[in-house]
């Protein structure tokens, strides 16, 4: 038995020496695919998966990476260099946003992604090891549209990319016993895009989802599915019915946000009525009047960090 144990130790050393490599691991997963298949059918669901894989293929090879495996609606990729992997995943999210411009809100492609830098065993084809399982857990913890990174990736990044990262509140990953330090990469070029809404009448601060189309209205659910990303509820019950079930959308474009009114009930941007069905550009500080019931102000990350106090007075 002693000799066998010694042989196992020697084989482990040979295995590590010949096949262990430090690599950048990237997992990408379609958000809400189960509900998508249920609502639109197998053919449409499979088309959404294929769009995901096609966009991945366009980005991965361009930056020296390769797709190791695809299973269901997820994909596993590997890169040799951190900055190249970050450029690839950034381009992938940009391509997704471009595709989403021509898709209805309920048919948007939304991805969650996670990256980790660590040791793996690879023969040039298969890639295995604890780092692979760990990276998959990181990706599954991300929100829709979010790129999550481990501290190991953060330390390998150049300084220009580090300043684009924001620490994620510490927590535990499913199946990981230790607390993990994670970061989120702000992959959108315009760092001054609004990230929150302030409701002046209630002082409520609302996080804006990372979706390319964000819907607002009074309706919370429709046919068992979420109706709006942000549900608008005035404190005065008498004002609730003034807000339409689907009132307006915020749409992300290359140049920033646009508002598209969906309702005959009035939606104003900085005191000017927004025509129904037309895109109106909005920016940080813009005030959105909703059916004379609520006033929303777009807030930027800098304002959040500085603790800027927004006036609670209603616009005249």
């Amino acid at each position: 038995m002693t000799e066998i144990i010694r042989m196992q130790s020697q084989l482990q050393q040979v295995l590590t020496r010949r096949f262990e490599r430090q690599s950048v691991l990237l997992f990408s997963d379609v958000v809400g695919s189960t509900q998508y298949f249920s609502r639109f059918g197998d053919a449409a669901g499979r088309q959404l998966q294929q769009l995901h894989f096609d966009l991945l293929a366009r980005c991965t090879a361009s930056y020296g990476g390769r797709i190791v495996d695809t299973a269901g609606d997820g994909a596993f990729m590997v890169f040799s260099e951190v900055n190249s992997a970050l450029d690839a995943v950034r381009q992938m999210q940009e391509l997704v946003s471009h595709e989403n411009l021509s898709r209805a809100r309920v048919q948007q492609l939304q991805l969650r992604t996670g990256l980790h830098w660590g040791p793996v065993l690879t023969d040039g084809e298969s890639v295995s090891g604890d780092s692979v399982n760990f990276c998959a857990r990181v990706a599954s913890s991300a929100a829709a549209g979010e790129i999550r990174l481990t501290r190991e990736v953060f330390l390998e990044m150049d300084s220009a990319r580090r300043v684009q990262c924001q620490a994620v509140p510490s927590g535990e990953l499913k199946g990981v016993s230790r607390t993990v330090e994670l970061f989120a990469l702000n992959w959108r070029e315009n760092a001054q895009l609004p990230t929150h809404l302030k409701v002046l009448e209630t002082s409520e601060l609302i996080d804006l989802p990372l979706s390319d189309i964000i819907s607002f209205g009074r309706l919370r659910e429709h046919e068992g599915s979420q109706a709006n990303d942000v549900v608008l509820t005035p404190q005065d019950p008498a004002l609730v019915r003034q807000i339409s079930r689907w009132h307006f959308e915020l749409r992300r474009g290359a140049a920033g946000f646009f508002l598209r009114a969906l309702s005959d009930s009035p939606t104003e941007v900085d005191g000017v009525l927004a025509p129904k069905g037309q895109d109106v550009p909005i920016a940080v500080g813009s005030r959105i009047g909703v059916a004379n019931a609520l006033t929303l102000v777009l807030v930027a990350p800098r304002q959040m960090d500085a603790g800027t106090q927004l006036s609670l007075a209603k616009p005249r």
Side-chain angles (χ1 to χ4, degrees), residues 61-94:
S62 300
Y63 291 96
R66 68 183 180 91
I67 299 175
V68 179
D69 188 28
T70 58
D73 51 20
F76 169 38
M77 292 138 283
V78 63
F79 295 79
S80 59
E81 199 267 330
V82 164
N83 292 324
S84 294
L86 292 171
D87 288 341
V89 72
R90 180 193 295 271
Q91 185 187 61
M92 179 181 66
Q93 291 285 19
E94 290 172 350

Side-chain angles (χ1 to χ4, degrees), residues 293-314:
L294 289 175
T295 307
L296 315 176
V297 179
L298 292 166
V299 183
R302 181 181 299 175
Q303 292 174 296
M304 296 296 300
D305 295 339
T308 301
Q309 297 297 314
L310 296 173
S311 172
L312 297 182
K314 295 182 182 180

Side-chain angles (χ1 to χ4, degrees), residues 83-141:
N83 292 324
S84 294
L86 292 171
D87 288 341
V89 72
R90 180 193 295 271
Q91 185 187 61
M92 179 181 66
Q93 291 285 19
E94 290 172 350
L95 289 174
V96 168
S97 288
H98 179 74
E99 289 288 336
N100 281 339
L101 290 176
S102 60
R103 302 174 70 89
R105 173 187 168 271
V106 293
Q107 295 179 314
Q108 299 274 293
L109 173 61
Q110 297 187 77
L111 303 179
R112 58 166 64 94
T113 52
L115 291 93
H116 178 55
W117 166 259
V120 296
L121 293 177
T122 178
D123 59 1
E125 293 294 332
S126 64
V127 180
S128 61
D130 185 61
S131 292
V132 176
N133 300 325
F134 179 67
C135 186
R137 300 296 190 188
V138 173
S140 65
S141 73

